[in-house]
Amino acid sequence: MKNRDSYFDNAKFFLIILVVFGHIIRPLIDDSQLIMNVYKFVYTFHMPAFILISGYFAKGYRKKGYVEKIAKKLILPYLIFQGIYSVYYYFIEDQQSIILDPFDPHWSLWFLISLFFWNIFLFGFTKLPAKWALCLAFALGLAVGYFEIISNYLSMSRTFVFFPLFLVGFYLRREHFAIMTKVKSRGIAVFVLLSIFFSYFYLDFDYEWLFGSQPYSQFGDPSIFSAGIRLGFYSLTFITSISFLSLIPKTHAFFTEWGTRTFYVYLLHGFIVQYIRNSEWLEWMRDYQSVTMLIILSIIMTTTLSTTIVKAITQPIIELRASTIQYYVKNFTSKSIQ
């Protein structure tokens, strides 16, 4: 932990809570206008902010063995969990057969395959001057919406739509985050976030625009205005993402270490959320519809999945190694000998 920047671990911890929270409240958004607006608000920035941070930490992409490293870190867990989730859905959703398609990401697994592609894209885009690389990334993000063939398959739509955020994160420096977290910046951030949240009670739009996974035809007849709408969402996403990151504490806290294990939470929380969605728990949640209760549930789920014991148990299938459990076995053995 000594060599880590607590700010980014803190940011990842709060963001993964929002990811879990967003997935928990998804079945309830049609029952409550408040929950619908909270859902839209969270989806405006929670994954975009994650993507910005991911881009920031991709600066070593030219190091020897980098591609092999991210392939092992992202593609292998993706394939493993794609298979596990396929079997899991077969049982909890009473499907007639197990659907195994490595090219059609299950649910939240899209992020792993997109993150791999974003890192690969850097080899080409960084050959251009930064401003032209960003212009090209945004142009592609706007253009792909006109091609119906580019959709969720291989997560290609999200890969192109969200790549500009990854690229912006790549070009950011630590001093930029220092400016974001100044007291004055934080005051502005609070005002911006509250203004945007309350504006959602008066703005009516299809929340799937925020997913970046569908072609423009999903929202009506494509036109030049379709790209303009996506450009508007780009602006909204950047403003809210930067505003949220402005509010993140910079010092080490009791939850900072949990922020180092967000990968575990991201891969594992789906089992719990999907179980809830297919059980009587969902009807109980519909009856109460308490945002506070759902936030608490999200925090409990996140912190539980961030524990050392969960890491020790699942590390062999997530990181394909067992260093954590070996560490505790070694310590336990040493203490026993003493």
Side-chain angles (χ1 to χ4, degrees):
M1 291 296 293
K2 290 181 179 179
N3 297 324
R4 299 182 68 98
D5 191 325
S6 296
Y7 168 79
F8 292 106
D9 288 330
N10 292 341
K12 290 191 291 181
F13 174 69
F14 287 113
L15 286 169
I16 199 64
I17 288 176
L18 291 177
V19 170
V20 174
F21 176 68
H23 289 158
I24 287 177
I25 68 173
R26 172 62 183 87
L28 309 175
I29 59 176
D30 294 326
D31 302 327
S32 166
Q33 187 62 44
L34 172 61
I35 293 180
M36 170 64 86
N37 291 334
V38 169
Y39 183 79
K40 288 180 177 178
F41 180 66
V42 167
Y43 268 78
T44 304
F45 65 86
H46 74 331
M47 285 310 297
F50 242 130
I51 294 166
L52 274 172
I53 293 175
S54 300
Y56 175 80
F57 282 103
K59 291 178 173 58
Y61 74 102
R62 290 192 181 277
K63 291 181 180 179
K64 184 178 179 181
Y66 183 84
V67 174
E68 180 182 350
K69 178 182 177 182
I70 62 168
K72 182 179 179 181
K73 182 179 180 180
L74 299 173
I75 300 301
L76 287 181
Y78 166 77
L79 293 173
I80 290 170
F81 276 84
Q82 183 78 348
I84 293 173
Y85 271 115
S86 296
V87 175
Y88 185 65
Y89 290 157
Y90 169 76
F91 286 106
I92 67 169
E93 295 181 358
D94 294 324
Q95 295 178 351
Q96 294 183 347
S97 61
I98 297 176
I99 302 172
L100 290 171
D101 186 350
F103 301 110
D104 188 13
H106 279 304
W107 201 37
S108 60
L109 294 181
W110 70 268
F111 181 66
L112 277 67
I113 195 166
S114 288
L115 183 55
F116 175 78
F117 282 128
W118 294 329
N119 278 274
I120 299 302
F121 285 176
L122 289 177
F123 287 94
F125 278 79
T126 53
K127 293 182 183 298
L128 301 172
K131 64 179 180 180
W132 293 115
L134 288 169
C135 285
L136 177 59
F138 277 109
L140 288 172
L142 296 174
V144 294
Y146 292 104
F147 299 91
E148 292 192 26
I149 194 173
I150 301 178
S151 58
N152 191 57
Y153 214 64
L154 266 179
S155 189
M156 292 309 295
S157 181
R158 283 184 169 117
T159 297
F160 284 109
V161 171
F162 289 122
F163 178 62
L165 290 102
F166 183 85
L167 194 58
V168 168
F170 174 80
Y171 287 122
L172 288 176
R173 297 290 180 265
R174 188 61 183 88
E175 52 266 30
H176 294 133
F177 290 95
I179 294 171
M180 288 181 206
T181 51
K182 287 183 176 180
V183 175
K184 184 178 180 180
S185 299
R186 287 179 167 177
I188 296 172
V190 171
F191 174 77
V192 168
L193 290 173
L194 287 175
S195 298
I196 291 174
F197 173 67
F198 286 111
S199 71
Y200 281 2
F201 286 89
Y202 303 96
L203 296 175
D204 185 25
F205 64 88
D206 191 328
Y207 60 84
E208 290 197 15
W209 275 102
L210 300 169
F211 296 168
S213 60
Q214 300 292 342
Y216 296 144
S217 58
Q218 175 75 16
F219 310 102
D221 294 330
S223 68
I224 188 65
F225 297 107
S226 302
I229 294 172
R230 175 161 288 172
L231 188 60
F233 278 111
Y234 270 136
S235 302
L236 188 63
T237 289
F238 274 107
I239 292 171
T240 51
S241 297
I242 296 302
S243 296
F244 177 81
L245 292 173
S246 296
L247 302 179
I248 300 299
K250 296 182 286 185
T251 57
H252 189 278
F254 70 91
F255 51 78
T256 302
E257 188 172 355
W258 291 333
T260 67
R261 300 172 190 151
T262 54
F263 195 53
Y264 285 80
V265 182
Y266 194 83
L267 288 174
L268 298 173
H269 80 282
F271 294 106
I272 303 174
V273 172
Q274 292 293 358
Y275 172 77
I276 292 174
R277 290 184 180 183
N278 290 275
S279 70
E280 295 179 359
W281 280 91
L282 182 59
E283 292 306 314
W284 179 79
M285 289 165 60
R286 288 187 195 278
D287 291 338
Y288 285 91
Q289 291 188 8
S290 168
V291 174
T292 302
M293 180 197 71
L294 296 172
I295 291 174
I296 293 172
L297 177 60
S298 303
I299 294 173
I300 292 173
M301 190 184 302
T302 302
T303 53
T304 301
L305 295 176
S306 300
T307 57
T308 305
I309 188 170
V310 170
K311 179 180 179 180
I313 294 170
T314 59
Q315 190 179 38
I317 61 171
I318 291 179
E319 296 188 52
L320 304 181
R321 60 193 181 99
S323 61
T324 302
I325 195 167
Q326 289 172 357
Y327 171 80
Y328 283 102
V329 169
K330 182 179 179 181
N331 277 5
F332 177 78
T333 305
S334 300
K335 290 179 180 178
S336 298
I337 294 174
Q338 292 174 359

